[in-house]
Amino acid sequence: MEIIRVPVLSDNYAWLIHDDGQTVALDPGEAAPVAAAAAARGWTIGQVWLTHWHPDHVGGAAELRAAGAHVAGPAAEAAKINGLDTLLAEGDRIAVGSLDATIWSVPGHTAGHIAFHLADRAVIFTGDTLFAMGCGRLFEGTAAQMHANMRRFAALPENTRVYCGHEYTLSNARFAAVAEPDNDAIAARLADVTAMREAGEPTIPTTIALERATNPFLRSVDAQELAERRAAKDAFKG
Protein backbone atom coordinates (compact mmCIF):
# COMPACT_ATOMS: atom_id res chain seq x y z
CA MET A 1 0.00 0.00 0.00
CA GLU A 2 1.14 3.51 -0.84
CA ILE A 3 -0.64 6.69 0.26
CA ILE A 4 0.38 9.90 -1.49
CA ARG A 5 -0.52 13.37 -0.27
CA VAL A 6 -1.55 15.78 -3.05
CA PRO A 7 -1.93 19.45 -2.07
CA VAL A 8 -4.83 21.08 -3.93
CA LEU A 9 -6.51 24.48 -3.84
CA SER A 10 -5.33 26.65 -0.92
CA ASP A 11 -5.00 24.24 2.01
CA ASN A 12 -6.69 20.99 0.99
CA TYR A 13 -5.13 17.57 0.76
CA ALA A 14 -6.37 15.00 -1.73
CA TRP A 15 -5.02 11.48 -1.32
CA LEU A 16 -3.91 8.79 -3.74
CA ILE A 17 -4.25 5.25 -2.38
CA HIS A 18 -2.42 2.65 -4.42
CA ASP A 19 -2.29 -1.10 -3.91
CA ASP A 20 -1.80 -4.13 -6.13
CA GLY A 21 -1.77 -2.05 -9.30
CA GLN A 22 -4.97 -0.14 -8.54
CA THR A 23 -5.37 3.50 -7.54
CA VAL A 24 -8.02 5.58 -5.76
CA ALA A 25 -8.19 9.36 -5.61
CA LEU A 26 -9.82 10.39 -2.35
CA ASP A 27 -11.47 13.84 -2.13
CA PRO A 28 -9.91 15.34 -5.28
CA GLY A 29 -10.77 19.02 -4.89
CA GLU A 30 -9.34 19.58 -8.35
CA ALA A 31 -8.41 17.04 -10.97
CA ALA A 32 -5.19 18.27 -12.58
CA PRO A 33 -2.72 17.96 -9.67
CA VAL A 34 -4.20 14.62 -8.63
CA ALA A 35 -4.02 13.22 -12.15
CA ALA A 36 -0.47 14.55 -12.52
CA ALA A 37 0.65 12.94 -9.26
CA ALA A 38 -0.76 9.60 -10.40
CA ALA A 39 0.74 9.86 -13.88
CA ALA A 40 4.17 10.70 -12.45
CA ARG A 41 4.10 7.30 -10.75
CA GLY A 42 2.69 5.44 -13.72
CA TRP A 43 -0.63 4.93 -11.99
CA THR A 44 -4.13 5.04 -13.50
CA ILE A 45 -6.91 6.38 -11.28
CA GLY A 46 -9.64 3.77 -11.43
CA GLN A 47 -11.76 4.98 -8.50
CA VAL A 48 -12.66 8.20 -6.74
CA TRP A 49 -13.83 8.07 -3.10
CA LEU A 50 -15.61 11.10 -1.64
CA THR A 51 -16.23 11.86 2.04
CA HIS A 52 -18.76 14.69 1.60
CA TRP A 53 -20.28 17.05 -0.90
CA HIS A 54 -18.31 20.27 -0.37
CA PRO A 55 -16.83 21.57 -3.64
CA ASP A 56 -13.26 21.67 -2.31
CA HIS A 57 -13.49 17.89 -1.91
CA VAL A 58 -15.45 16.88 -5.01
CA GLY A 59 -14.37 19.53 -7.52
CA GLY A 60 -12.19 17.20 -9.58
CA ALA A 61 -14.42 14.14 -9.45
CA ALA A 62 -16.35 14.76 -12.66
CA GLU A 63 -13.17 15.23 -14.70
CA LEU A 64 -11.61 12.06 -13.28
CA ARG A 65 -14.87 10.20 -13.94
CA ALA A 66 -14.85 11.41 -17.53
CA ALA A 67 -11.35 9.94 -17.82
CA GLY A 68 -12.66 6.55 -16.71
CA ALA A 69 -12.75 6.51 -12.91
CA HIS A 70 -15.65 5.03 -10.95
CA VAL A 71 -16.95 7.48 -8.32
CA ALA A 72 -18.20 6.40 -4.87
CA GLY A 73 -19.53 8.69 -2.16
CA PRO A 74 -22.09 9.19 0.60
CA ALA A 75 -25.57 7.96 -0.24
CA ALA A 76 -27.08 10.61 2.02
CA GLU A 77 -25.54 13.34 -0.14
CA ALA A 78 -26.26 11.87 -3.58
CA ALA A 79 -28.54 14.78 -4.40
CA LYS A 80 -25.62 17.18 -3.92
CA ILE A 81 -22.91 15.22 -5.77
CA ASN A 82 -23.40 14.70 -9.49
CA GLY A 83 -22.14 11.48 -11.02
CA LEU A 84 -21.98 9.09 -8.09
CA ASP A 85 -21.68 5.54 -9.39
CA THR A 86 -21.73 3.84 -5.97
CA LEU A 87 -23.65 5.07 -2.94
CA LEU A 88 -22.06 4.35 0.43
CA ALA A 89 -23.54 4.24 3.93
CA GLU A 90 -22.61 3.03 7.41
CA GLY A 91 -21.16 -0.48 7.36
CA ASP A 92 -20.69 -0.73 3.59
CA ARG A 93 -17.36 -1.91 2.26
CA ILE A 94 -15.31 -0.82 -0.71
CA ALA A 95 -12.00 -2.18 -1.99
CA VAL A 96 -8.95 -1.16 -3.97
CA GLY A 97 -6.39 -3.84 -4.73
CA SER A 98 -6.09 -5.96 -1.61
CA LEU A 99 -7.30 -3.12 0.63
CA ASP A 100 -10.75 -3.21 2.15
CA ALA A 101 -12.36 -0.08 3.59
CA THR A 102 -15.39 0.01 5.88
CA ILE A 103 -17.64 3.04 5.72
CA TRP A 104 -18.37 5.04 8.84
CA SER A 105 -21.25 7.49 9.00
CA VAL A 106 -19.82 10.58 10.75
CA PRO A 107 -22.36 13.43 10.38
CA GLY A 108 -21.83 16.87 11.82
CA HIS A 109 -19.72 18.86 9.38
CA THR A 110 -22.23 17.84 6.73
CA ALA A 111 -25.34 15.75 7.25
CA GLY A 112 -24.11 12.75 5.27
CA HIS A 113 -20.35 12.85 5.84
CA ILE A 114 -18.57 9.48 5.76
CA ALA A 115 -15.12 8.19 6.64
CA PHE A 116 -13.14 5.32 5.13
CA HIS A 117 -11.59 2.93 7.67
CA LEU A 118 -8.92 0.46 6.53
CA ALA A 119 -8.81 -1.49 9.78
CA ASP A 120 -6.26 -4.12 8.75
CA ARG A 121 -3.80 -1.35 7.80
CA ALA A 122 -4.62 0.88 10.81
CA VAL A 123 -5.61 3.79 8.55
CA ILE A 124 -8.66 6.04 8.46
CA PHE A 125 -9.57 8.85 6.06
CA THR A 126 -11.69 11.34 7.98
CA GLY A 127 -12.34 14.14 5.49
CA ASP A 128 -13.43 17.24 7.42
CA THR A 129 -14.62 15.43 10.56
CA LEU A 130 -11.47 14.73 12.57
CA PHE A 131 -8.52 17.03 11.92
CA ALA A 132 -5.10 17.04 13.54
CA MET A 133 -5.87 18.79 16.84
CA GLY A 134 -9.32 19.80 15.63
CA CYS A 135 -12.70 18.87 14.20
CA GLY A 136 -14.86 20.19 11.40
CA ARG A 137 -17.23 23.11 11.76
CA LEU A 138 -20.83 22.11 12.49
CA PHE A 139 -22.38 23.32 9.26
CA GLU A 140 -25.18 20.76 9.00
CA GLY A 141 -25.09 18.76 12.21
CA THR A 142 -24.96 18.98 15.97
CA ALA A 143 -22.37 18.97 18.72
CA ALA A 144 -23.90 15.71 19.96
CA GLN A 145 -23.23 14.08 16.59
CA MET A 146 -19.67 15.38 16.49
CA HIS A 147 -19.01 14.27 20.05
CA ALA A 148 -20.23 10.77 19.15
CA ASN A 149 -17.84 10.81 16.19
CA MET A 150 -14.96 11.86 18.44
CA ARG A 151 -15.71 9.02 20.89
CA ARG A 152 -15.69 6.58 18.01
CA PHE A 153 -12.39 7.84 16.65
CA ALA A 154 -10.85 7.84 20.13
CA ALA A 155 -11.69 4.15 20.50
CA LEU A 156 -9.50 3.19 17.54
CA PRO A 157 -6.08 1.63 18.21
CA GLU A 158 -3.60 4.35 19.11
CA ASN A 159 -1.33 3.53 16.16
CA THR A 160 -4.13 4.28 13.66
CA ARG A 161 -2.96 6.86 11.12
CA VAL A 162 -5.46 9.64 10.43
CA TYR A 163 -5.58 11.26 6.99
CA CYS A 164 -7.76 14.36 6.93
CA GLY A 165 -8.68 16.92 4.30
CA HIS A 166 -6.89 20.14 5.30
CA GLU A 167 -3.62 21.52 6.62
CA TYR A 168 -5.21 23.27 9.60
CA THR A 169 -2.90 21.93 12.29
CA LEU A 170 -1.06 25.12 13.24
CA SER A 171 -4.25 27.11 13.78
CA ASN A 172 -5.76 24.16 15.63
CA ALA A 173 -2.68 23.84 17.83
CA ARG A 174 -2.76 27.51 18.75
CA PHE A 175 -6.40 27.15 19.79
CA ALA A 176 -5.70 23.94 21.68
CA ALA A 177 -3.07 25.75 23.75
CA VAL A 178 -5.76 28.22 24.82
CA ALA A 179 -8.43 25.57 25.39
CA GLU A 180 -6.11 23.47 27.59
CA PRO A 181 -3.36 25.81 28.84
CA ASP A 182 -2.04 23.29 31.37
CA ASN A 183 -1.66 20.45 28.85
CA ASP A 184 2.09 19.94 28.39
CA ALA A 185 1.54 17.61 25.42
CA ILE A 186 -0.32 20.36 23.58
CA ALA A 187 2.46 22.87 24.31
CA ALA A 188 5.07 20.46 22.99
CA ARG A 189 3.05 19.67 19.89
CA LEU A 190 2.45 23.37 19.18
CA ALA A 191 6.22 23.85 19.14
CA ASP A 192 6.69 20.86 16.85
CA VAL A 193 3.93 21.93 14.45
CA THR A 194 5.21 25.49 14.33
CA ALA A 195 8.67 24.25 13.35
CA MET A 196 7.23 21.89 10.73
CA ARG A 197 5.17 24.58 9.07
CA GLU A 198 8.03 27.08 9.13
CA ALA A 199 10.06 24.45 7.28
CA GLY A 200 7.23 23.92 4.77
CA GLU A 201 6.55 20.41 5.99
CA PRO A 202 3.07 18.84 6.15
CA THR A 203 1.65 17.80 9.51
CA ILE A 204 -0.64 15.08 8.16
CA PRO A 205 -1.09 12.17 8.76
CA THR A 206 -1.54 12.26 12.49
CA THR A 207 -2.26 9.33 14.82
CA ILE A 208 -5.01 8.49 17.25
CA ALA A 209 -2.42 8.48 20.06
CA LEU A 210 -1.46 12.09 19.28
CA GLU A 211 -5.09 13.15 19.04
CA ARG A 212 -6.01 11.53 22.35
CA ALA A 213 -3.27 13.57 23.99
CA THR A 214 -3.64 16.92 22.21
CA ASN A 215 -6.99 17.33 20.42
CA PRO A 216 -9.38 19.40 22.58
CA PHE A 217 -12.41 18.17 20.63
CA LEU A 218 -11.51 14.49 20.87
CA ARG A 219 -10.81 15.13 24.57
CA SER A 220 -14.13 16.90 25.26
CA VAL A 221 -15.93 15.19 28.12
CA ASP A 222 -19.38 15.66 26.63
CA ALA A 223 -21.29 17.32 23.79
CA GLN A 224 -21.70 20.55 25.76
CA GLU A 225 -17.97 20.98 26.18
CA LEU A 226 -17.41 20.19 22.52
CA ALA A 227 -20.07 22.75 21.54
CA GLU A 228 -18.41 25.40 23.70
CA ARG A 229 -14.99 24.64 22.27
CA ARG A 230 -16.30 24.59 18.72
CA ALA A 231 -17.96 27.99 19.16
CA ALA A 232 -14.75 29.36 20.66
CA LYS A 233 -12.68 27.98 17.80
CA ASP A 234 -15.07 29.50 15.25
CA ALA A 235 -14.36 32.91 16.76
CA PHE A 236 -10.65 32.28 17.42
CA LYS A 237 -8.24 34.74 15.81
CA GLY A 238 -4.92 33.22 16.94
Side-chain angles (χ1 to χ4, degrees), residues 27-46:
D27 282 358
E30 52 183 338
V34 176
R41 293 164 174 81
W43 300 347
T44 299
I45 297 172

Side-chain angles (χ1 to χ4, degrees), residues 70-75 83-88 92-94:
H70 183 100
V71 180
L84 282 183
D85 299 301
T86 297
L87 306 182
L88 300 172
D92 288 342
R93 304 175 83 91
I94 191 167

Side-chain angles (χ1 to χ4, degrees), residues 38 44 160 215 230:
T44 299
T160 302
N215 188 322
R230 186 63 258 178

Side-chain angles (χ1 to χ4, degrees), residues 3-16:
I3 300 174
I4 303 299
R5 178 190 310 100
V6 185
V8 298
L9 303 171
S10 61
D11 55 25
N12 280 72
Y13 289 139
W15 301 97
L16 291 174

